[in-house]
Amino acid sequence: MTDHRTGPRVGVDEVTPGIWMLTFAAGQAYVLRRAHGWMLVDTGLPAHAGDVLDALAGLGAGPRDVRDIVLTHSHLDHAGSAADLADATGARVLAGAADAPVIRGDVPEPPPVLEEWEVPLYEDVHARIGIPPRTPVRPCRVDRELGEGDVLDWDEEVRVVEVPGHTAGSIALHLTRSGVLFTGDTIANMGGISPSVFHVDRPRAVASFLRQATLHVDTACFGHGAPLVGGAGEALREAAAALGGPTPAG
């Protein structure tokens, strides 16, 4: 594991009781404490496994307490430390079926189709994190490929929602009882709620955004930007209405 740390590089903030957000130089991941284990939703940038493990230790979890690592998509700011954390924890790794070959290293990461205004932003992000675009990350095993309607048991039902567009295999996780939604990079909260940036297929990404706005959600946890705690469903529906999408919860 290559992890040359000079100080804390991961912020840790409680979202709701039992859910914490880990913040990196780019991208976010989430830690969940459940009755029978700890879960990670995404793993952050490459070479941050030690920081994630330190964050877990500060919350009272050892490496072997981690049961599942779910990757919402294959981009390096979300799956970059997956292989190192999978080795350190022995946790099961789960990801969307269409992104699994990228995460395993079987195929290269498809580049985003950038709109003109996204080009300088894309270059700035990669300059800030010091990693050139399309740099391959260490391949990681995927123990289970996830698809629409799959259900995880994390002491409550967790439904997998296919939300392609940002990447082909992007997924969201919907905790149906508590109304928590992990959107990955299909939705961002950066100066407002939007369908994020840097998609392989922007029209599909917008459609995935609109679909999530129909779910019963109280708390929304994004890949970029502050989570919405309380009233998240209404906020998502308002944003969807501004895009001309559906507004009723379904």
Side-chain angles (χ1 to χ4, degrees), residues 26 37 91 97 124 180 219:
D124 177 70
V180 177
T219 297

Side-chain angles (χ1 to χ4, degrees), residues 25-91:
Q28 292 161 184
Y30 293 89
V31 175
L32 291 83
R33 182 184 62 214
R34 313 304 285 182
H36 57 295
W38 293 68
M39 318 298 177
L40 284 174
V41 178
D42 292 331
T43 65
L45 289 162
H48 281 65
D51 298 290
V52 174
L53 294 173
D54 286 348
L56 284 164
L59 297 172
R64 295 294 166 174
D65 294 324
V66 180
R67 173 185 161 193
D68 284 345
I69 298 171
V70 179
L71 303 175
T72 62
H73 62 292
S74 55
H75 285 167
L76 62 81
D77 56 333
H78 293 266
S81 286
D84 287 343
L85 284 168
D87 287 349
T89 64

Side-chain angles (χ1 to χ4, degrees), residues 71-75 94-110 142 144-148 150 160-171 200 204:
L71 303 175
T72 62
H73 62 292
S74 55
H75 285 167
L94 306 90
D99 277 10
V102 177
I103 293 166
R104 291 186 177 113
D106 297 333
V107 299
E109 179 79 65
V142 176
R144 179 180 174 187
E145 297 183 9
L146 299 174
E148 178 66 31
D150 284 346
V160 176
V161 184
E162 289 186 352
V163 286
H166 186 65
T167 64
S170 288
I171 57 170
V200 296
R204 291 187 80 193

Side-chain angles (χ1 to χ4, degrees), residues 196-207:
S196 193
V197 291
F198 312 153
H199 308 296
V200 296
D201 187 331
R202 185 170 182 82
R204 291 187 80 193
V206 171

